[in-house]
Amino acid sequence: MLFATKLKNSLTKLAEQHGMEIKVELKNIAVNGQRRGCSGFVTCGDSCVYVNTEHSCYGPISDKSMCRYAKDTEDFSSNGLKNGYNQFVADDFLAAKVISMLKNGKGIPR
């Protein structure tokens, strides 16, 4: 399970390698004092990605984190975006997936 600091460090390191300036806004998730992961937004220019690392109880995705395109840092549902569907990725590859999504920038209404 990924928490805010570890994910932010991974994202920042990868972004520097690709020559990108990103803004990371993540908060840890805690339920009844138990840490469950983190959620928030990563932006680069006009591209914005929502990330949630709290694992699901559904078997096939129980070891994966979720990411999807967002309109802005207040868009938690992405209903209006063409490519705003949930994408589930193993924790080890989440940072790379988010950076890839930010570089492509698809799903953003122009």
Side-chain angles (χ1 to χ4, degrees):
M1 162 173 2
L2 287 173
F3 296 108
T5 303
K6 184 175 182 178
L7 181 56
K8 182 176 182 175
N9 290 342
S10 297
L11 288 165
T12 303
K13 183 178 177 182
L14 275 175
E16 287 176 3
Q17 291 174 358
H18 290 277
M20 299 169 61
E21 270 191 51
I22 63 170
K23 182 178 178 186
V24 182
E25 299 174 22
L26 298 172
K27 291 187 180 186
N28 286 323
I29 301 168
V31 178
N32 294 330
Q34 183 182 20
R35 294 174 57 178
R36 301 268 180 113
C38 67
S39 68
F41 296 91
V42 183
T43 56
C44 180
D46 290 340
S47 299
C48 183
V49 174
Y50 173 72
V51 178
N52 188 326
T53 66
E54 182 177 12
H55 291 172
S56 172
C57 59
Y58 179 59
I61 59 172
S62 64
D63 61 340
K64 296 182 173 29
S65 295
M66 187 271 298
C67 58
R68 68 170 162 241
Y69 285 108
K71 292 178 197 168
D72 53 36
T73 57
E74 299 192 9
D75 179 20
F76 292 93
S77 65
S78 301
N79 289 337
L81 292 178
K82 181 178 179 183
N83 296 326
Y85 54 87
N86 296 345
Q87 300 179 48
F88 295 93
V89 183
D91 289 346
D92 297 342
F93 303 105
L94 181 61
K97 176 67 174 178
V98 170
I99 295 298
S100 172
M101 290 171 73
L102 290 172
K103 283 180 74 173
N104 292 336
K106 294 181 181 174
I108 308 301
R110 306 253 180 227

